[in-house]
Amino acid sequence: MGTEGSPRDPLLLSIKEDQNGFAYINKTSSLLKSTKWVLKSAMWLIFISWVSFLFLVPSDSVKQLYTKLVKATSGTLFGTTGSIFLIYSGPILVIAFLAIIYLGISAENEVQEKKTKHASFRLWTFPIIVDGPFGVVTAAELIGILLFAVYLIWAIIAYTFQNISLLPLFEITDAGKRNLILLELTGLRLGFIGLICMAFLFLPVARGSILLRLIDIPFEHAARYHVWLGHLTMILFTLHGLFFVIPWAINGRLIKELTAWQNVGVANLPGVISLVAGLFMWVTSLPPVRRRINFELFFYTHQLYVVFVVFLAMHVGDFIFSIAAAGIFLFMLDRFLRFFQSRKTVDILSAKCLPSGTVELVISKPEGLQYNALSWVFLQVRELSWLQWHPFSVSSSPLDGKHHIAVLIKVLGDWTEKLRGHISSVPEEEQGETDDLLHPNFTLKASIEGPYGHESPYHLTYENLILVAGGIGISPFVAIMSDILNRIRDSKPCLPRHVLIVWAVKKSDELPLLHSLDMNSLCPYFYNTLNLEIQTYVTRESEPPLEEGKVPEYVNSSVFPTPSHGGMSSLVGTGSIIWSGAYMVVSTLGFIVLLAMLDMFYINPYKISYWWYKGLLFTICMAASIILFGGFVIGLWHLWDKKTSVEKNKNSEDEKKIGGLQYYESNVHKNSSRRDFVNNIKYGQRPDFKEIFGNMAERWGNVDIGVMVCGPTALQTSIAKECRSKNFGRISGEPIFHFNSHSFDL
């Protein structure tokens, strides 16, 4: 983006300049602003109405109104199932449709302009709870947790009174039997509340979901909401089953009831199978198993979600299952798209082993692939395993090069150890300088899912940044610094003017991860615009083990032949909003068409009434609509992407040949002899965040300070505590610290 307008610029575009003279093109006309406001208001109205309905369903008045509506539409083509689907799942899909339009008319990578010169609080960056079962919880998250808690308490109380009022209908005088019936009724209600939770459960794990892009929450943040909802859902479903098992056991009909498979009504055996699958997923997802015992066990057992969902549909039937169908459908859409993306083999341009136990991969990507500097990718290396996928933070800026993306991988487990061993297996006699590192017979290929991340680069929305990292947690901040420097060099919108990096490492052999970044070569004279300070703490060494200024060399470097067509796929939810929107809309319409055809030509003519069978057909229609209709859109998308890539390659073949290595030639193998920023390395110390934050508060004054942390849980907790302490004790003229965490361990 240049600093001067062109005579061909549309009249609706206006040019603004910031305090440093950079040009900001305001692409949003008054009409577009009004349209976005209308869409946003409509989505909020639908969402609030939907949540209010879910909250009030336990009340008698809303329940009666809802029952009348369902009965009135039971004779239509879709019957009761259609009515319940429209009421419970319809609002989510409507919001998703509106989100496609909203995101489509929003400017890409639009940097939010600073509306006020003074600091202001934000609910989503204000940490309230920093210790506890939920980890670091912001004010916005706390509000959500409290609303869920209030709903649970209200629903249980309301349903308990309703259950007690139903007891006289059973005409049982024996107190013990009445209590057993009350227990079963309570279990029934808990199952319904669990379905309400399931309406939200799958939304956070649809990685490229339109809804996550709408609210600008990346999947690594949303995953924690899935964890919270997963615990709650399984507790409710476990109690649901237990409250039936106890009366059955007391009455001596436990085995008979557990194996019952009713054709009309709830089928018990599918429910047992679904619950057992859910319990396996739940137990293996607990931290002692997932983190300390075996991550692969957690990963593989979590694939039982297919069994869990299908048998749940057979357990309750199509019309009850449709309560949670929208979230599951959106997840299936995302999963199918990821399946297609991950089938493509991606070329790895170069692989390097660092002495700190870190592997650096440079991966080929298409020129038009969009992502931001705080993105993640899921990586599979088929030479190591055909099943294992591992998430890694991107360590390169989207402005570093058109044809590559880079990741830093810490060697911590068996898979990463195998990766390092594979790279180090190049014979020593073949190793040498960069010009001699091409090994035609030594290849490394991978499959990629992603990149996933924030819809907008929020690190560019703060003028003042504090980046706190622990160990390999510096990886996303390398990408951030590169992004900022590239934007300053190219005069692109970029708000950061003051950046402090606080980095804690165990040993000095990790220093090349950040300090080999040649900032002067990347952006000469950046110090005229950016005030940068780096504070590095080497905690387990009392003094420098190397000569001053000497950077440890790489253990091994392998540069592979430059590919001609091995870039990662553009079929990703965070990519083209037009294609991903068309994929979702066409699949949804296809689902409605398949359901209509099923009702017209099979269910209604043949009077199919088996609940479990109709539930199975419902899930088959969901899957078939995505495969048939969504697959058709994916095919067109792939052809369009291939055609576009071929046209771009014709114009930039020479650039592509060096694009994958250009960034690393300048940033890794060179070490600037000149530093135009403060760079302090302290040995045998840990950072004193109270002192650091206090100094920045005095230096920067009444401003918003974006604090971003990437590191172990203890580090995130410490930073959140300091942000909360400074904000609660804030006096006039002091800054507000906005806490932002970048997940360290997924």
Side-chain angles (χ1 to χ4, degrees):
M1 184 180 297
T3 58
E4 296 182 1
S6 168
R8 297 182 180 180
D9 290 339
L11 294 177
L12 288 176
L13 300 186
S14 60
I15 299 180
K16 298 181 179 181
E17 288 189 354
D18 69 359
Q19 59 185 353
N20 296 286
F22 289 139
Y24 288 75
I25 295 183
N26 184 17
K27 297 182 179 180
T28 308
S29 67
S30 298
L31 178 60
L32 288 181
K33 284 184 177 180
S34 301
T35 304
K36 290 176 65 175
W37 182 87
V38 170
L39 289 171
K40 184 181 291 188
S41 300
M43 288 185 287
W44 269 112
L45 179 62
I46 294 171
F47 178 75
I48 293 174
S49 301
W50 178 62
V51 171
S52 300
F53 166 76
L54 296 180
F55 190 88
L56 296 174
V57 161
S59 65
D60 291 330
S61 57
V62 174
K63 181 182 178 181
Q64 291 174 3
L65 180 63
Y66 158 71
T67 304
K68 290 180 180 179
L69 178 62
V70 171
K71 287 182 178 180
T73 56
S74 60
T76 60
L77 175 63
F78 296 103
T80 302
T81 302
S83 302
I84 296 179
F85 182 85
L86 183 64
I87 294 172
Y88 283 95
S89 295
I92 289 294
L93 296 178
V94 172
I95 292 174
F97 289 168
L98 295 177
I100 295 171
I101 304 174
Y102 180 84
L103 293 173
I105 64 176
S106 298
E108 293 184 0
N109 296 329
E110 183 181 80
V111 178
Q112 300 175 3
E113 297 182 38
K114 194 173 180 63
K115 298 180 179 179
T116 175
K117 295 183 179 180
H118 303 292
S120 58
F121 288 101
R122 302 169 190 172
L123 293 177
W124 54 92
T125 59
F126 194 114
I128 300 296
I129 301 175
V130 295
D131 290 316
F134 297 103
V136 178
V137 177
T138 64
E141 292 171 338
L142 181 61
I143 292 173
I145 293 173
L146 292 177
L147 288 176
F148 251 101
V150 170
Y151 166 73
L152 287 174
I153 296 172
W154 144 251
I156 292 174
I157 293 175
Y159 285 138
T160 299
F161 280 107
Q162 291 180 20
N163 292 340
I164 294 174
S165 66
L166 292 174
L167 288 178
L169 299 178
F170 292 90
E171 299 179 352
I172 298 176
T173 57
D174 183 82
K177 293 183 177 179
R178 286 169 61 92
N179 289 335
L180 294 180
I181 291 176
L182 182 61
L183 202 61
E184 290 189 26
L185 290 173
T186 303
L188 185 66
R189 305 295 192 181
L190 291 174
F192 175 79
I193 298 174
L195 281 174
I196 297 298
C197 292
M198 272 197 66
F200 298 90
L201 178 63
F202 285 87
L203 295 176
V205 286
R207 298 172 188 167
S209 169
I210 293 292
L211 296 179
L212 291 184
R213 296 180 65 179
L214 173 67
I215 58 180
D216 201 15
I217 294 181
F219 88 95
E220 75 271 13
H221 288 185
R224 58 189 273 152
Y225 308 144
H226 172 75
V227 172
W228 299 348
L229 288 166
H231 290 317
L232 177 59
T233 302
M234 287 312 304
I235 289 173
L236 290 169
F237 281 160
T238 302
L239 292 175
H240 162 72
L242 190 63
F243 282 12
F244 279 98
V245 166
I246 293 175
W248 293 343
I250 293 176
N251 292 328
R253 49 192 178 93
L254 178 61
I255 302 300
K256 179 181 178 181
E257 291 290 352
L258 288 178
T259 57
W261 195 310
Q262 299 91 334
N263 289 327
V264 178
V266 173
N268 293 341
L269 184 56
V272 172
I273 296 173
S274 177
L275 180 59
V276 170
L279 289 174
F280 269 112
M281 290 190 292
W282 187 26
V283 171
T284 55
S285 69
L286 297 175
V289 177
R290 181 170 61 89
R291 295 180 180 175
R292 300 175 187 173
I293 298 179
N294 196 321
F295 175 83
E296 282 72 23
L297 179 63
F298 152 76
F299 176 80
Y300 294 137
T301 55
H302 240 63
Q303 308 314 307
L304 290 172
Y305 72 84
V306 178
V307 177
F308 175 74
V309 169
V310 172
F311 280 89
L312 176 64
M314 298 169 69
H315 172 57
V316 298
D318 58 335
F319 68 95
I320 298 178
F321 179 75
S322 61
I323 292 174
I328 297 174
F329 184 70
L330 291 177
F331 171 77
M332 291 171 64
L333 282 168
D334 179 75
R335 189 65 191 87
F336 188 66
L337 188 61
R338 288 192 280 122
F339 168 76
F340 267 90
Q341 185 196 27
S342 63
R343 290 179 67 234
K344 184 175 182 180
T345 301
V346 180
D347 290 299
I348 295 180
L349 301 175
S350 70
K352 304 177 181 67
C353 295
L354 282 70
S356 59
T358 303
V359 172
E360 191 175 55
L361 299 181
V362 183
I363 303 166
S364 174
K365 80 171 184 67
E367 182 177 343
L369 184 67
Q370 299 293 325
Y371 71 99
N372 68 58
L374 282 170
S375 294
W376 287 76
V377 295
F378 277 77
L379 178 68
Q380 176 204 58
V381 178
R382 297 183 180 180
E383 285 85 354
L384 307 181
S385 172
W386 281 77
L387 297 177
Q388 294 186 38
W389 290 83
H390 295 268
F392 300 104
S393 179
V394 172
S395 60
S396 61
S397 163
L399 301 177
D400 282 329
K402 295 180 179 180
H403 303 290
H404 83 271
I405 191 171
V407 294
L408 291 172
I409 302 172
K410 184 71 173 179
V411 178
L412 294 173
D414 293 339
W415 186 88
T416 51
E417 192 66 50
K418 290 179 182 178
L419 176 63
R420 177 170 179 156
H422 190 81
I423 297 171
S424 302
S425 63
V426 180
E428 291 186 4
E429 59 270 15
E430 294 186 14
Q431 299 176 20
E433 300 299 325
T434 303
D435 295 338
D436 302 321
L437 286 176
L438 296 179
H439 308 294
N441 298 322
F442 188 82
T443 60
L444 192 64
K445 292 184 178 294
S447 294
I448 301 290
E449 288 184 9
Y452 303 106
H454 284 272
E455 182 69 12
S456 60
Y458 73 91
H459 60 281
L460 300 177
T461 63
Y462 296 101
E463 290 188 4
N464 309 277
L465 282 174
I466 298 179
L467 309 178
V468 183
I472 193 61
I474 197 64
S475 176
F477 299 153
V478 172
I480 284 180
M481 287 308 305
S482 179
D483 197 42
I484 292 174
L485 294 174
N486 274 295
R487 287 178 173 273
I488 292 175
R489 181 195 62 198
D490 299 337
S491 298
K492 292 180 177 291
C494 181
L495 289 182
R497 294 295 175 262
H498 307 278
V499 178
L500 168 66
I501 299 177
V502 182
W503 186 26
V505 298
K506 294 179 181 179
K507 296 183 178 180
S508 56
D509 59 7
E510 298 182 58
L511 297 181
L513 294 178
L514 174 64
H515 295 287
S516 60
L517 183 67
D518 191 350
M519 301 184 186
N520 286 301
S521 294
L522 189 62
C523 179
Y525 308 109
F526 71 87
Y527 47 85
N528 291 332
T529 302
L530 180 69
N531 295 317
L532 174 63
E533 180 179 352
I534 300 176
Q535 297 181 13
T536 305
Y537 296 82
V538 183
T539 60
R540 295 189 180 181
E541 294 179 0
S542 58
E543 58 184 12
L546 302 172
E547 296 180 6
E548 185 178 359
K550 184 178 180 181
V551 178
E553 299 293 336
Y554 289 98
V555 172
N556 194 320
S557 287
S558 302
V559 180
F560 305 113
T562 305
S564 58
H565 55 276
M568 57 199 296
S569 171
S570 295
L571 303 180
V572 56
T574 52
S576 169
I577 188 63
I578 297 176
W579 280 110
S580 58
Y583 169 65
M584 194 198 78
V585 171
V586 172
S587 298
T588 305
L589 295 178
F591 174 52
I592 296 174
V593 170
L594 289 182
L595 275 182
M597 295 176 62
L598 187 68
D599 285 328
M600 286 191 297
F601 299 110
Y602 184 60
I603 291 180
N604 293 336
Y606 292 94
K607 301 184 185 301
I608 304 297
S609 59
Y610 294 176
W611 284 25
W612 68 268
Y613 185 45
K614 294 175 69 175
L616 178 61
L617 292 175
F618 191 88
T619 57
I620 291 175
C621 282
M622 292 173 66
S625 65
I626 296 172
I627 294 173
L628 297 177
F629 295 90
F632 174 73
V633 176
I634 289 177
L636 295 179
W637 187 354
H638 177 72
L639 291 175
W640 175 264
D641 180 61
K642 187 176 181 179
K643 178 182 177 182
T644 305
S645 298
V646 170
E647 292 176 353
K648 289 181 178 179
N649 289 340
K650 290 180 180 179
N651 299 325
S652 59
E653 190 64 31
D654 292 337
E655 179 184 355
K656 184 175 181 180
K657 290 181 179 179
I658 62 172
L661 304 178
Q662 188 176 26
Y663 167 77
Y664 282 86
E665 283 295 309
S666 63
N667 288 331
V668 172
H669 295 290
K670 295 179 182 179
N671 187 25
S672 176
S673 60
R674 170 185 173 184
R675 297 189 183 276
D676 293 298
F677 55 90
V678 178
N679 180 29
N680 295 321
I681 302 178
K682 302 179 181 179
Y683 291 85
Q685 300 182 34
R686 295 183 180 274
D688 184 345
F689 293 112
K690 183 175 182 179
E691 178 182 354
I692 293 172
F693 279 45
N695 291 338
M696 293 303 104
E698 293 179 2
R699 188 185 306 177
W700 291 343
N702 184 17
V703 295
D704 290 306
I705 299 178
V707 180
M708 301 181 188
V709 56
C710 183
T713 302
L715 178 63
Q716 297 198 29
T717 300
S718 299
I719 300 302
K721 281 183 178 179
E722 196 57 40
C723 289
R724 183 182 63 178
S725 174
K726 292 295 183 183
N727 291 342
F728 277 135
R730 178 179 181 266
I731 60 177
S732 178
E734 291 187 341
I736 294 176
F737 293 88
H738 298 273
F739 177 82
N740 299 272
S741 66
H742 192 69
S743 295
F744 182 75
D745 180 15
L746 291 175

